[in-house]
Amino acid sequence: MLAIFLLVTGGAATLALAHTPGSCMYEEILGTWIFRETERTGDHTLDCQELGTIVHTKTFTLNFPDTATDELGNRGSWTMIANQGFEVNINERSYFAFSYYESDGNTTISYCDRTMTGWSRDTTVRNWSCFRGHKTSKVAPRVREIQVLMSADERYKNDHHLVAKINAAQTSWTAKVYPEFEKYTVEEMYRRGGGVRPIATHTRPFPAPTTPRQKVVIASLPENFDWRNASGVNYISEVRDQGSCGSCYAFASMANLEAQVRITTRNRRQDVFSTQDIVSCTSLAQGCNGGYDYLIAGRYGQDQGVVAEDCNPYTGNEDPCATNTSCARMYVSEYVHVGGYYGACNEATMLEALVTSGPVSVSFEVYDDFRHYTGGIYHHTGLTRDFHPFEMTNHVVLVVGYGIEEGTGEAFWIVKNSWGKTWGEDGFFRIRRGNDECAIESLAVKVTIIP
């Protein structure tokens, strides 16, 4: 997978990693699509690298905000997967494909009126095929020029001056220098935080408005809640460290499933699932260059299932797939963006999902100041040097609780990270709640497991 580097003005070089180099907007996906689909078989191992012989042709119209209809008027649903692709669920079948792009040297062209070869299967997960989609109306290609920087291989250096400025500027949270970070290169450090986003900030959805019903529901919820201590019981698995690989999406996805298993079985099962199986064995993500929890905790969990950690122990590298094929797999029965579709999430829907269903995985934007967090309720200070909109990054983590700080009354989320137990508050952090701090209330995902 291509690693992308952007030059930020101001004299400092920063690194950008994309999940894929493509980038398509919601309004470019809306409209009528024709899906050309291969023969449907029972072979769930289809890699869909090539399309094959076309047997079925389907026409679907994707409407605002999440309704899909076919040529006969049958209704279903659809959702964006960030700016990377989209999923359609209709007529008891599910279709997913990444949007099409081409890369030539330092230039990437996104063709948002067509898809890469994608995967289709029925809702019983028994009947599989490949497909490609093209829109009946043309969308102008989007061209992006990328500058490759040599600084990516340089050793990361802690910013002591930034840490001092953070602690002097506010009292909500504290920062410190982590000497262990200097074992990583600049590229590896940015991978740990998801990379620098190569897309404009307006492409992520903002939280949906809170409805009257949602206000009634959240008014009945407890003021403080934490799945690490729910009636005295801890349902959260141990914090792990993703290392230099951009695999936060895999760790958050598996942490989500691990929590669901513990809750559903009343802690009789305490599975730890293989993140290396995700990094090495699925085309739904890009290995150490990123991925999405919706596709991994959700679609991969439902389509292929997940395995125990010892079936493919974590190496932090993009190794060939070496998962023990004799290992049993655990499956997901349902998965959804909190709120129902990409763009429908907000604080209220997250609170309700968290208390009634269990922890939810979320994407949020990492700034340089966040890397130095050691305790308190985080908010972005705006003190990061050479700030630029492209410095916003996607990092995937697990929300396990929420609360209100005594004395200050500041509301917060409790979040499990994947940077080891020595970072933050024993591997966790708290972040402001109620104002979509760093986009943390925009992109939550919840799943239902089959224990």
Side-chain angles (χ1 to χ4, degrees):
M1 177 49 64
L2 178 68
I4 300 175
F5 304 87
L6 294 178
L7 178 62
V8 176
T9 59
T14 54
L15 168 77
L17 299 172
H19 299 122
T20 75
S23 175
C24 293
M25 304 300 104
Y26 176 88
E27 57 273 16
E28 294 171 326
I29 303 300
L30 281 173
T32 300
W33 289 77
I34 296 174
F35 286 5
R36 300 165 62 241
E37 186 182 350
T38 63
E39 181 181 3
R40 298 169 180 176
T41 76
D43 182 9
H44 74 283
T45 65
L46 286 173
D47 63 12
C48 292
Q49 296 300 309
E50 300 295 333
L51 183 58
T53 303
I54 301 302
V55 175
H56 308 279
T57 300
K58 302 293 182 181
T59 301
F60 301 127
T61 300
L62 311 183
N63 303 298
F64 175 87
D66 68 326
T67 302
T69 56
D70 70 4
E71 64 273 18
L72 301 176
N74 297 308
R75 291 167 63 89
S77 62
W78 76 282
T79 182
M80 293 283 289
I81 314 299
N83 65 329
Q84 302 287 284
F86 59 98
E87 182 183 72
V88 179
N89 294 287
I90 191 170
N91 297 332
E92 304 304 314
R93 290 194 72 80
S94 181
Y95 301 81
F96 167 74
F98 289 106
S99 295
Y100 188 82
Y101 67 89
E102 294 178 349
S103 294
D104 181 13
N106 300 334
T107 301
T108 295
I109 306 175
S110 297
Y111 298 91
C112 300
D113 51 10
R114 45 183 157 141
T115 72
M116 310 290 272
T117 305
W119 301 264
S120 172
R121 43 88 174 152
D122 69 338
T123 54
T124 67
V125 199
R126 295 175 181 172
N127 190 294
W128 298 78
S129 63
C130 304
F131 79 98
R132 283 184 195 155
H134 70 269
K135 200 174 179 183
T136 57
S137 57
K138 291 292 185 180
V139 175
R142 181 180 295 106
V143 181
R144 234 170 358 105
E145 297 292 334
I146 306 299
Q147 288 184 300
V148 178
L149 302 179
M150 301 307 295
S151 61
D153 293 330
E154 294 178 1
R155 190 63 55 185
Y156 177 84
K157 297 295 183 184
N158 279 298
D159 190 340
H160 294 257
H161 181 61
L162 175 60
V163 169
K165 286 202 302 181
I166 291 168
N167 291 328
Q170 49 78 50
T171 58
S172 180
W173 63 282
T174 56
K176 75 173 186 179
V177 167
Y178 288 91
E180 59 268 33
F181 285 174
E182 297 192 357
K183 69 184 179 182
Y184 298 115
T185 64
V186 171
E187 178 179 357
E188 290 169 341
M189 274 299 293
Y190 274 96
R191 277 182 174 169
R192 280 170 65 81
V196 181
R197 292 178 64 184
I199 56 175
T201 59
H202 71 272
T203 58
R204 72 162 174 83
F206 292 95
T210 304
T211 66
R213 177 211 165 264
Q214 290 169 354
K215 292 179 181 179
V216 170
V217 170
I218 63 175
S220 66
L221 299 177
E223 188 175 81
N224 298 277
F225 188 84
D226 187 347
W227 280 107
R228 296 174 301 174
N229 184 14
S231 300
V233 180
N234 177 21
Y235 294 98
I236 305 302
S237 55
E238 291 289 318
V239 170
R240 301 177 66 188
D241 192 339
Q242 69 188 76
S244 60
C245 177
S247 53
C248 59
Y249 67 95
F251 280 85
S253 295
M254 295 305 98
N256 194 339
L257 301 187
E258 289 160 6
Q260 298 300 328
V261 169
R262 291 174 182 229
I263 293 168
T264 302
T265 66
R266 305 300 190 269
N267 257 344
R268 288 178 174 83
R269 283 182 55 178
Q270 298 189 1
D271 302 54
V272 175
F273 296 118
S274 171
T275 50
Q276 192 64 42
D277 177 68
I278 307 304
V279 170
S280 296
C281 302
T282 177
S283 298
L284 289 174
Q286 287 73 52
C288 283
N289 281 337
Y292 290 91
D293 49 334
Y294 183 86
L295 294 177
I296 298 306
R299 194 172 184 94
Y300 186 74
Q302 186 170 88
D303 291 2
Q304 306 297 334
V306 297
V307 297
E309 168 68 13
D310 58 8
C311 296
N312 194 348
Y314 187 65
T315 68
N317 299 307
E318 291 185 346
D319 300 325
C321 182
T323 299
N324 185 339
T325 57
S326 69
C327 286
R329 288 186 174 265
M330 191 215 72
Y331 294 89
V332 166
S333 60
E334 294 180 283
Y335 60 97
V336 67
H337 285 111
V338 171
Y341 55 91
Y342 182 84
C345 187
N346 59 25
E347 179 196 12
T349 57
M350 282 178 61
L351 286 168
E352 180 179 7
L354 184 64
V355 173
T356 61
S357 303
V360 294
S361 50
V362 297
S363 298
F364 78 111
E365 296 168 352
V366 169
Y367 294 90
D368 282 349
D369 61 356
F370 178 77
R371 293 183 174 86
H372 297 290
Y373 171 90
T374 187
I377 301 173
Y378 173 79
H379 65 275
H380 176 48
T381 60
L383 297 173
T384 303
R385 294 184 305 173
D386 304 311
F387 170 75
H388 188 281
F390 285 157
E391 260 189 355
M392 295 183 178
T393 73
N394 276 347
H395 184 49
V396 191
V397 288
L398 187 74
V399 175
V400 303
Y402 64 86
I404 296 178
E405 182 79 340
E406 291 186 15
T408 66
E410 191 171 17
F412 59 84
W413 299 107
I414 305 168
V415 190
K416 180 184 181 182
N417 202 358
S418 53
W419 292 353
K421 296 179 183 179
T422 62
W423 181 88
E425 296 179 334
D426 298 321
F428 293 80
F429 66 97
R430 289 175 292 157
I431 185 170
R432 278 183 180 172
R433 172 168 61 90
N435 67 335
D436 195 33
E437 181 68 44
C438 297
I440 201 162
E441 291 160 7
S442 300
L443 305 173
V445 171
K446 69 175 182 177
V447 297
T448 304
I449 56 93
I450 306 172

